[in-house]
Amino acid sequence: MSVMGEVNLLTHHEARWRFLYRGHGLPGGTSILTVTDGFQWWHFQCRSEGDNMYCITGTEWSRFVRMRINAMITLYSKEDGEDFHRVRVRQS
């Protein structure tokens, strides 16, 4: 699994999280990312903003952030044959 992005979730991340990702696995335009921590599943809206910049937004993202303010999260790319991404949440 390669790291796509990492962030310490702050209140302003409730609206969106912009990150730079130069790897493969994220489509252009707008898509839905299926994400799991191994126990729970989420569906986040992800939008390509050009120049390898992406933005995660949406209602489910906002709820996810609100419940995890000040947590450090790491988003990982899909593994071969998987149709989901993994996330690791570490409380500060």
Side-chain angles (χ1 to χ4, degrees):
M1 282 183 294
S2 65
V3 174
M4 296 175 65
E6 191 168 51
V7 68
N8 184 1
L9 294 176
L10 302 174
T11 303
H12 70 271
H13 288 116
E14 285 183 45
R16 68 183 181 152
W17 172 34
R18 290 185 74 215
F19 62 96
L20 176 67
Y21 179 61
R22 290 191 171 100
H24 303 288
L26 288 177
T30 301
S31 61
I32 300 295
L33 293 183
T34 300
V35 178
T36 184
D37 65 357
F39 301 100
Q40 292 181 289
W41 293 84
W42 300 275
H43 301 282
F44 301 142
Q45 295 173 26
C46 183
R47 179 178 70 242
S48 170
E49 296 187 335
D51 295 329
N52 298 313
M53 289 299 297
Y54 294 88
C55 181
I56 294 179
T57 62
T59 305
E60 195 157 355
W61 171 253
S62 296
R63 280 194 299 259
F64 177 86
V65 173
R66 258 183 255 126
M67 299 298 292
R68 292 162 183 83
I69 292 293
N70 295 321
M72 178 66 73
I73 68 160
T74 305
L75 179 64
Y76 297 94
S77 62
K78 296 179 189 180
E79 292 286 308
D80 288 338
E82 295 179 336
D83 61 351
F84 57 88
H85 293 79
R86 295 189 187 274
V87 67
R88 180 176 174 211
V89 179
R90 297 177 310 280
Q91 296 298 324
S92 301

